[in-house]
Amino acid sequence: MAPTGDDSALAPVRLARIGGDGIGPEVVDAAVRVVDGVGGDRIEWVEAEMGWRTFERTGRALPEATVEILENCAGALFGAVSSPSHAVDGYRSPIVELRRRLDLYANLRPLRSGAVDAVVVRENTEGLYAGRERWDREGEVAIAERVISRRATERIVRFACELAVTRAVQCGNPPRLTVVHKANVLRLSDGLFRETALDVAAGFPEIEVEEQLVDSMVYRLILEPERYDVIVAPNLYGDILSDAGAALVGGLGVVGSANCGERFCLAEPVHGSAPDIAGQGTANPIAAVSAAALLLERVGLGDAAARIEEALAEHRAAGPRTPDRGGAATTDEALADLLARV
Ligand code: NAI
Ligand code: MG
């Protein structure tokens, strides 16, 4: 058939749904129902698996079949995996492996609550998590190398700048970028991050750019979170800022995140598999639904994402609360309220 130029003729966006372990499948099911409530006909869901149960059954936490499915999707909504607290032969975190294999270099953590509307963009591939650790002096000293490259810094900062510009178009406020570093102490590594970041940001003259040392950044983020827009940071700093930010806007049960590459986005709630409440039907679906909104935004379904965000804001203000938020609602009751609001 010849192209009609009509949007409704576009092929649906293919997305994978991966429940994982514990409450993962419960919250992913809920989030998929919310997504289907706003844009069902534009999405084709494909089921995939990974995690601890998958490992126990197949010997692989991340089966090749799952990687193949993901390579043919624009993104995935993922619940959580349970990781053993002791080393298990052959088991590796599927999330860490996926970040590497799909080159998901940007970790996004929106912080939204009341007047706060910021997003932490964390470099996801190098820094202090580059995995270069070694012993020295016969085990008396442990050394970790911190890797900062111009290339990885350029692409994370470009990602952050493009996000700042997109957000500004959506909300009408001038875009602002905060570059986080500690270049006064780590003169080479953070010096390179800082210099590269400022160079890249200079290519976006509409963005107001500021820099902030990481320690004072945590302090200011907690004291005046509403002043921030897009915050870009090397791996470890971004990890810490993300979690501090999550506490600031309501905690584990409500915050979503996304791991993004050039062609793929893996969105997930920030929380883990919560084995203490798995199977009880009381998991809070908000974090997974927030992650789903992020995913839709990244794969070009921004209008559907915005509807979910609005429903989430109303739900958080006036909907029934699950036990983690001090209420007695079940996952299904919270979901029914969300569905009524989208
Ligand atoms: P967790 O986030 O699973 O749970 C911490 C506490 O928060 C628990 O009391 C739990 O009941 C509660 N909680 C978490 N999400 C909730 C929700 N949606 N609704 C209501 N309450 C919620 O972290 P924990 O206990 O440290 O780890 C449990 C397992 O999850 C471990 O095996 C860990 O390795 C894994 N994990 C996986 C992650 C991932 O898949 N990305 C991230 C963090 C932990
Ligand atoms: Mg973390």
Side-chain angles (χ1 to χ4, degrees):
M1 204 173 81
T4 59
D6 175 357
D7 270 4
S8 62
L10 289 177
V13 178
R14 187 180 300 141
L15 298 175
R17 48 181 290 179
I18 310 174
D21 301 312
I23 61 168
E26 303 170 30
V27 295
V28 166
D29 281 352
V32 165
R33 288 192 51 199
V34 174
V35 171
D36 286 347
V38 295
D41 51 333
R42 289 181 291 165
I43 292 156
E44 178 192 344
W45 290 105
V46 190
E47 184 94 31
E49 64 163 329
M50 65 188 194
W52 178 250
R53 283 187 309 166
T54 304
F55 174 78
E56 286 190 315
R57 218 187 59 246
T58 69
R60 294 288 310 270
L62 176 63
E64 268 326 293
T66 294
V67 179
E68 269 166 41
I69 290 173
L70 298 185
E71 281 170 346
N72 289 298
C73 287
L77 180 63
F78 162 62
V81 296
S82 296
S83 290
S85 46
H86 53 285
V88 172
D89 250 5
Y91 181 87
R92 286 197 299 170
S93 159
I95 278 285
V96 174
E97 194 177 341
L98 264 186
R99 279 182 189 155
R100 189 178 53 75
R101 290 190 59 178
L102 300 178
D103 197 20
L104 306 177
Y105 63 87
N107 188 282
L108 227 65
R109 178 85 55 96
L111 308 174
R112 212 174 270 141
S113 170
V116 181
D117 186 2
V119 53
V120 178
V121 177
R122 159 187 166 199
E123 202 290 324
N124 219 4
T125 67
E126 55 178 29
L128 203 48
Y129 296 163
R132 297 200 188 172
E133 287 198 299
R134 63 175 194 275
W135 293 112
D136 196 27
R137 309 227 182 130
E138 285 149 13
E140 292 307 303
V141 177
I143 296 177
E145 285 180 333
R146 185 164 181 273
V147 180
I148 301 284
S149 69
R150 195 183 302 278
R151 176 180 166 273
T153 306
E154 274 172 0
R155 70 175 181 172
I156 194 69
V157 176
R158 190 166 297 117
F159 183 100
C161 288
E162 284 164 2
L163 182 65
V165 171
T166 313
R167 283 165 54 90
V169 169
Q170 285 163 354
C171 72
N173 294 330
R176 174 187 275 172
L177 179 75
T178 307
V179 178
V180 179
H181 60 74
K182 188 79 182 179
N184 56 334
V185 176
L186 296 167
R187 291 182 186 277
L188 297 189
S189 55
D190 271 354
L192 179 61
F193 186 87
R194 170 181 180 275
E195 178 194 313
T196 307
L198 297 179
D199 276 355
V200 170
F204 295 80
E206 67 273 47
I207 300 179
E208 181 193 325
V209 182
E210 62 176 11
E211 18 178 336
Q212 185 89 52
L213 297 176
V214 61
D215 43 355
S216 62
M217 179 70 208
V218 178
Y219 183 76
R220 289 192 76 180
L221 183 65
I222 288 166
L223 283 186
E224 34 179 357
E226 61 289 337
R227 77 174 294 284
Y228 291 100
D229 178 15
V230 176
I231 300 163
V232 67
N235 207 336
L236 172 65
Y237 303 161
D239 194 10
I240 294 170
L241 283 170
S242 295
D243 277 23
L248 205 60
V249 296
L252 283 177
V254 303
V255 184
S257 75
N259 300 281
C260 307
E262 292 305 334
R263 291 186 6 258
F264 192 85
C265 171
L266 178 82
E268 57 172 329
V270 166
H271 61 72
S273 61
D276 54 333
I277 59 163
Q280 296 175 11
T282 59
N284 186 345
I286 294 179
V289 175
S290 305
L294 257 180
L295 176 61
L296 295 184
E297 175 81 46
R298 298 300 313 169
V299 300
L301 299 173
D303 55 331
R307 277 181 64 192
I308 293 180
E309 287 293 351
E310 273 168 40
L312 274 171
E314 288 177 19
H315 170 75
R316 285 182 65 172
R321 294 168 174 247
T322 45
D324 59 306
R325 295 177 67 227
T330 62
T331 308
D332 283 344
E333 284 161 355
L335 171 62
D337 180 73
L338 276 162
L339 287 172
R341 294 178 193 277
V342 289

